[in-house]
Amino acid sequence: MRRLISASILATLCLFIRPASSQTPNKHYEPTIASLNTHPLPQWYDDAKLGIFIHWGLYSVPGWAPLQHPSHDFESVDYIVNNPYAEWYLNVVRIPNSPTAQYDREHYGPNHNYYDFASTFNQETKKWKPEEMAAIFRDAGAKYVVLTSKHHEGFTLWPSRVANPNQINLNAERDIVGELTEAVRKDGLKMGLYYSGGYDWTFNRGPIEKSPDYENVKPQSAAYGRYADAQIMELIERYHPSVLWNDIDWPKSGKPLQIMADYYNSTPDGVIDDRFGVPHSDFTSPEYAKLDQISQKKWEECRGLGRSFGYNRAEGDAETIPSQELIELLVDIVSKNGNLLLDVGPEADGTIPPIQMDRLRALGTWLKQNGEAIYGTKPWTRANGTTNQLTAEGKPVDLRFTQKNGRLYATLFGKPVSSTILLHNVAVASGSQVTLLGSTGPIKWAQRAADLEVTLPASLPGSYAWVLSLQPAK
């Protein structure tokens, strides 16, 4: 991962019945920006709020990256050499004397070929149970899943019929895309696919060693344009993904507008990200970044539970987002018209690391109690609010607002030291009830000029953040 700013369709067999809502297109899209920009944002995507990203590939076998960079300063040479994204293992291992190169020599020998990881990956993935993985995402409260069908290394997680002219044995033995698509849809979730259109290190091998290389290593040959076009159309026709998530632009020799039009015509309730390098998308995709205010354009933050997207065995609790921070992150994003695409990095056999499972369970538990304030909501007139209270740790108890069906939801970030709390500049309609999600019975309240005073139960249900539901004054 890294954020950078065909008339003919392959005759491939469809392995899955496409979702019922996309069987009858309601209009025809042309490969022009004007036509594509008429595509409405599907309600399902706007309402979903939480998706799970999965970075899984050959890089999951070594599953390692250095920890020197807690932030993501992409442009510095030091960052490139110490890249915290484990999915960039193939790039960094080829930079002489990089920590990744040293790690690879120590564990796999001086003449190790990265693509030899394929045999281990194929052996390990025999243990994988897609139904169990799908159930984990369902229980975490996710409404859609996006899987890396092909990352920058060029190895595909489906049996592509599009021959790579530069290298052989670049397909997983199991149809991971197909099996997970089936399992996810059986659990009632939408299934999306990531494709690395901008980088393919089997066409332009690099490596990227300095900032200008980010552009220079993008393959732009006619052969790569045909290859990328054919592969992504194969994915569209074969699996009908509800999210088409490209990365690092599309090759100039390819046909991104035709791909988008063909995709919408086959899957009208699908969505496309903003990383095709053309001025059309259904949402924007900041990476490890938040917005300061409500966005009119739908957006989706993508980030890992740790500093990496791919599995990094070096990461522990200190590198993984705390449960409270994760829950507050989701609420903050939703209050500003966004979705959270939260990444897990499975081990080679598909096992989600215990530290990541801990965070997923905490998130799922919180959403079971408070999902009413998340799913299907819209931003209020403002996203942020304040109170007169502090937590036991001395931090302000701040607020985030969402709304749905005439109800305003005020989420308290942190447990206040006092049960009586003022919500600044919040007014409740006369005669309405204020309730606390997860608790029974109404909450005592009083309007104190522009502020709302509420008295919380002595024992608060659940953990991390608490949600008040009320009818706002007109």
Side-chain angles (χ1 to χ4, degrees), residues 59-367:
Y59 45 83
S60 306
V61 176
W64 190 87
L67 301 178
Q68 284 93 322
H69 275 268
S71 60
H72 296 84
D73 179 19
F74 299 119
E75 301 304 321
S76 73
V77 172
D78 183 66
Y79 174 90
I80 294 171
V81 173
N82 296 284
N83 195 320
Y85 286 172
E87 66 275 15
W88 277 63
Y89 190 99
L90 173 57
N91 187 77
V92 188
V93 77
R94 292 175 292 150
I95 299 177
N97 300 316
S98 69
T100 302
Q102 295 171 26
Y103 179 91
D104 194 76
R105 283 197 302 272
E106 291 171 4
H107 290 80
Y108 305 107
N111 300 311
H112 176 250
N113 184 324
Y114 174 84
Y115 289 98
D116 289 343
F117 284 136
S119 59
T120 303
F121 184 79
N122 286 325
Q123 187 64 32
E124 289 296 301
T125 53
K126 291 179 180 179
K127 308 170 188 175
W128 173 59
K129 297 179 180 179
E131 298 82 4
E132 292 182 2
M133 179 177 276
I136 288 170
F137 302 151
R138 179 202 64 207
D139 293 345
K143 300 301 181 183
Y144 62 104
V145 174
V146 179
L147 171 68
T148 48
S149 67
K150 184 203 81 168
H151 206 260
H152 311 332
E153 63 191 5
F155 187 81
T156 75
L157 300 190
W158 84 100
S160 178
R161 298 183 181 184
V162 182
N164 186 307
N166 303 317
Q167 200 165 323
I168 61 172
N169 300 323
L170 283 170
N171 300 337
E173 290 180 356
R174 287 185 74 167
D175 183 3
I176 292 172
V177 170
E179 292 185 50
L180 186 59
T181 294
E182 184 175 28
V184 162
R185 287 178 176 161
K186 281 182 178 178
D187 267 341
L189 280 62
K190 298 283 189 178
M191 184 67 190
L193 296 175
Y194 164 109
Y195 183 86
S196 175
Y199 289 149
D200 189 315
W201 294 327
T202 68
F203 279 82
N204 191 333
R205 298 185 184 273
I208 294 167
E209 297 186 80
K210 52 188 181 297
S211 186
D213 294 338
Y214 284 128
E215 286 297 321
N216 298 336
V217 173
K218 293 179 180 178
Q220 303 293 357
S221 66
Y224 182 62
R226 290 191 299 270
Y227 179 80
D229 286 354
Q231 278 204 327
I232 202 165
M233 287 308 304
E234 183 179 43
L235 288 170
I236 292 169
E237 284 301 298
R238 190 166 184 164
Y239 305 109
H240 315 297
S242 295
V243 183
L244 194 63
W245 218 104
N246 181 60
D247 203 9
I248 321 287
D249 295 342
W250 199 254
K252 294 179 176 62
S253 54
K255 300 177 180 178
L257 300 187
Q258 186 66 58
I259 289 165
M260 291 178 173
D262 289 348
Y263 174 64
Y264 285 151
N265 289 330
S266 67
T267 311
D269 65 345
V271 289
I272 293 173
D273 74 338
D274 63 338
R275 302 192 182 195
F276 275 87
V278 298
H280 170 73
S281 68
D282 292 297
F283 61 92
T284 60
S285 60
E287 186 169 316
Y288 281 90
K290 296 192 295 183
L291 302 190
D292 294 329
Q293 58 190 1
I294 297 170
S295 171
Q296 295 304 307
K297 172 83 171 180
K298 186 69 179 182
W299 62 288
E300 175 190 84
E301 180 186 348
C302 62
R303 61 151 295 152
L305 281 160
R307 300 174 188 172
S308 175
F309 285 91
Y311 168 55
N312 183 1
R313 68 183 71 249
E315 290 188 344
D317 192 69
E319 292 77 33
T320 306
I321 185 170
S323 296
Q324 179 165 337
E325 187 178 331
L326 173 59
I327 288 162
E328 291 180 357
L329 174 67
L330 172 64
V331 179
D332 180 76
I333 289 169
V334 172
S335 74
K336 296 168 183 173
N337 197 32
N339 286 6
L340 172 60
L341 186 60
L342 182 66
D343 183 83
V344 299
E347 299 177 34
D349 65 358
T351 299
I352 297 173
I355 191 69
Q356 296 187 21
M357 283 296 303
D358 175 77
R359 304 309 195 257
L360 293 178
R361 291 190 188 102
L363 184 58
T365 297
W366 188 87
L367 282 167

Side-chain angles (χ1 to χ4, degrees), residues 375-386:
Y375 304 120
T377 61
K378 301 291 183 184
W380 193 40
T381 55
R382 67 183 193 274
N384 298 3
T386 59

